[in-house]
């Protein structure tokens, strides 16, 4: 799935200010990395837009929520309720440098019902202003993700970012995210206790400085690769009052999660299984259709053979049942026999059900049909039922009674 990843600027630059972005054609590799105003972002070629909040804009806090305070939404994550928001404001009030009402909060995905929970906080006005620049350019953000997130035990990493003139250390680990200016003392502090085993990841511009200070090689990682990894994370900061911002964010979010699931390498065996199942169904349906068609053709051939064997003079078979009926009529005529569609059998059947002394003022006959006018007395329901059992139908048309031989009536 193609995704556009945009880094939200720390300073307000307005709609004309350039934004760093990464365009990935498949969600796994960097296609292009550049800067452009919001109106010129290549969103038309992407199916999802992800906004990345810089590490400098977020603070991380670990809180112990009261039991039962977390409610689950239909998707299984913590429900963004006003009660939870008020609870977070009370728990974090003494830890924050700003007023809680001025901050936006987000709770970690799959937050446990008991135990410590990570909460990210950033300035609400800044975040709304940064998102408004994208919304004003008809760029609807599907997800809002942090640039760095706390890691599990034993997964500490040290990132070196920026330029040689303003290099920074970002230490990500189980204790949260910590930012420090890069120098020998701060790097030693970040590496304390695990200087030889802790992974150091540096941007190309500051890699040489990081190697000199750490006295060992570092892993190179471009900022575009880091933002792509951030977009793959499970965090979504669009919570509480930002949950419904943008009319289509929720649908795009759901569509994005679905498409990522369908394209994720872990789901490849399942996709192959579904594909093979559909292929087997297709082959089975075609085999069943061929078998039914072959059976139907065999029955048609049996009917044609029955016609040509019974009446050898028929050389061309167009409609076997009609031709068979015609040949039988001709055969009856040749031997002087009557059929159920002739006048005598039809009058005999009608006379058998009519009361004695019944008369009609007019009778019209055509093969298989008799029209009677002024029939007195008129036949009752029992007569109609008896005629139906003999292969005839009787109905009224105005002042006429119409007797018809049903198709396939016995001679």
């Amino acid at each position: 799935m193609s995704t556009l990843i945009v880094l939200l600027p720390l300073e307000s630059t307005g709609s004309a200010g350039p934004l760093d972005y990464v365009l990935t054609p498949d969600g796994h590799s960097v296609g292009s990395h550049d800067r452009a105003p919001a109106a010129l972002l290549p969103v038309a070629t992407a199916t999802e837009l992800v906004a990345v909040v810089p590490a400098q804009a977020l603070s991380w806090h670990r809180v112990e929520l009261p039991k039962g305070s977390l409610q689950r939404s239909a998707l299984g994550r913590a429900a963004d309720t006003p009660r939870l928001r008020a609870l977070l404001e009370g728990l974090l009030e003494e830890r924050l440098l700003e007023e809680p009402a001025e901050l936006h909060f987000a709770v970690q995905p799959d937050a446990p019902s008991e135990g410590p929970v990570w909460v990210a906080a950033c300035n609400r006005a800044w975040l709304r202003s940064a998102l408004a620049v994208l919304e004003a350019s008809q760029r609807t953000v599907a997800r809002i993700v942090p640039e760095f997130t706390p890691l599990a035990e034993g997964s500490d990493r040290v990132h070196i970012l920026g330029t040689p003139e303003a290099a920074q250390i970002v230490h990500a680990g189980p204790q949260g995210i910590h930012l420090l200016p890069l120098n020998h003392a701060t790097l030693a502090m970040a590496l304390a206790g695990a200087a030889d085993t802790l992974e150091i990841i540096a941007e190309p511009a500051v890699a040489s400085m990081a190697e000199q200070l750490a006295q060992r090689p570092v892993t190179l990682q471009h900022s575009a690769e880091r933002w792509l990894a951030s977009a793959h994370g499970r965090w979504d900061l669009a919570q509480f009052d930002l949950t419904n911002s943008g009319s289509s964010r929720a649908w795009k979010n759901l569509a994005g999660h679905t498409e990522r699931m369908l394209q994720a390498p872990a789901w490849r065996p399942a996709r192959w299984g579904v594909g093979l199942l559909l292929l087997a169904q297709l082959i089975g349906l075609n085999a069943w259709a061929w078998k039914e068609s072959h059976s139907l053709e065999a029955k048609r051939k049996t009917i044609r053979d029955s016609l040509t064997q019974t009446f050898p003079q028929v050389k061309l078979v167009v409609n076997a049942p009609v031709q068979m009926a015609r040949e039988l009529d001709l055969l009856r005529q040749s031997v002087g026999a009557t059929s159920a569609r002739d006048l005598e059998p039809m009058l005999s059947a009608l006379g058998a059900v009519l009361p004695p002394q019944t008369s009609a003022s007019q009778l019209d006959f055509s093969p298989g049909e008799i029209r009677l006018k002024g029939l007195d007395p008129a036949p009752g329901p029992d007569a109609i039922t008896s005629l139906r059992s003999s292969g005839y139908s009787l109905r009224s048309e105005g002042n006429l009674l119409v007797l018809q031989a049903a198709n396939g009536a016995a001679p």
Side-chain angles (χ1 to χ4, degrees):
M1 177 183 66
S2 60
T3 305
L4 181 69
I5 305 167
V6 178
L7 181 70
L8 299 181
L10 289 171
E11 301 293 334
S12 177
T13 57
S15 59
L19 302 173
D20 289 291
Y21 73 85
V22 179
L23 182 63
T24 169
D26 54 8
H28 302 285
S29 59
V30 176
S32 61
H33 171 220
D34 207 342
R35 306 189 78 200
L40 300 179
L41 291 173
V43 182
T45 59
T47 58
E48 183 185 44
L49 192 154
V50 178
V52 178
V53 178
Q56 297 86 340
L58 285 171
S59 62
W60 296 88
H61 312 275
R62 210 168 191 184
V63 299
E64 192 91 23
L65 296 175
K67 186 176 181 180
S69 59
L70 278 180
Q71 300 178 16
R72 300 292 175 181
S73 66
L75 296 178
R77 77 174 195 178
D80 308 329
T81 61
R83 178 174 176 270
L84 179 58
R85 163 82 195 191
L87 181 61
L88 292 176
E89 289 184 3
L91 292 173
L92 297 174
E93 185 175 7
E94 296 182 358
R95 306 189 199 179
L96 300 170
L97 300 178
E98 300 178 66
E99 290 296 324
E102 299 176 356
L103 297 176
H104 172 72
F105 298 117
V107 181
Q108 74 177 72
D110 298 328
S113 301
E114 298 182 9
V117 173
W118 280 109
V119 178
C122 68
N123 185 275
R124 181 189 294 177
W126 167 82
L127 181 58
R128 282 191 171 277
S129 175
L131 295 175
V133 173
L134 295 171
E135 297 284 352
S137 302
Q138 304 300 314
R139 269 57 174 174
T140 302
V141 177
R143 291 189 299 132
I144 308 171
V145 300
E147 187 176 18
F148 296 95
T149 58
L151 303 177
E153 290 289 341
S155 303
D156 293 64
R157 293 194 188 94
V158 171
H159 295 260
I160 312 297
L161 318 177
T163 63
E165 297 77 19
Q168 282 189 310
I169 299 174
V170 178
H171 183 193
Q175 302 306 316
I177 308 298
H178 304 282
L179 279 78
L180 299 168
L182 177 63
N183 55 52
H184 191 276
T186 55
L187 184 59
M189 185 187 306
L191 299 176
D196 297 329
T197 59
L198 198 62
E199 183 180 12
I200 302 176
I201 303 172
E203 292 183 347
V206 292
S208 177
M209 179 186 300
E211 287 182 344
Q212 290 177 3
L213 293 174
Q215 294 297 307
R216 63 185 176 93
V218 299
T219 302
L220 292 179
Q221 185 185 56
H222 198 280
S223 58
E225 298 172 331
R226 183 174 70 253
W227 299 334
L228 179 60
S230 301
H232 285 163
R234 301 190 66 251
W235 274 83
D236 188 354
L237 303 181
Q239 299 180 26
F240 298 103
D241 55 334
L242 289 182
T243 301
N244 297 321
S245 81
S247 58
S248 62
R249 175 175 294 164
W251 288 109
K252 285 196 171 185
N253 193 0
L254 180 60
H257 281 298
T258 302
E259 192 162 353
R260 281 192 300 275
M261 180 187 70
L262 294 177
Q263 294 186 356
W267 285 84
R268 187 175 292 114
R271 292 196 297 270
W272 272 101
V274 172
L276 291 174
L277 178 62
L278 291 176
L279 181 61
Q281 291 288 335
L282 183 61
I283 294 174
L285 286 174
N286 278 278
W288 176 80
W290 176 85
K291 180 180 178 181
E292 289 296 313
S293 176
H294 183 74
S295 175
L296 183 60
E297 184 59 33
K299 292 178 180 177
R300 288 172 178 167
K301 185 177 183 303
T302 301
I303 295 174
R304 290 196 300 267
D305 291 346
S306 177
L307 173 61
T308 55
Q309 292 171 8
T310 306
F311 302 101
Q313 69 274 17
V314 178
K315 302 300 182 183
L316 177 62
V317 179
V318 178
N319 189 324
V322 173
Q323 290 176 277
M324 178 75 78
R326 186 184 302 120
E327 293 297 327
L328 286 173
D329 287 340
L330 293 175
L331 184 59
R332 289 193 192 97
Q333 293 176 10
S334 66
V335 297
T338 61
S339 71
R341 300 171 60 85
D342 291 333
L343 178 61
E344 292 84 354
M346 294 182 71
L347 287 176
S348 176
L350 182 60
V353 299
L354 291 178
Q357 308 302 319
T358 301
S359 63
S361 61
Q362 184 178 333
L363 183 149
D364 292 326
F365 171 76
S366 60
E369 182 179 278
I370 294 177
R371 290 176 173 267
L372 298 167
K373 184 177 182 181
L375 190 66
D376 185 32
D382 293 340
I384 296 175
T385 303
S386 179
L387 286 170
R388 186 180 297 116
S389 64
S390 300
Y392 296 100
S393 64
L394 184 65
R395 69 179 188 276
S396 297
E397 291 185 1
N399 61 348
L400 296 177
L401 279 177
V402 180
L403 179 68
Q404 279 188 320
N407 291 333

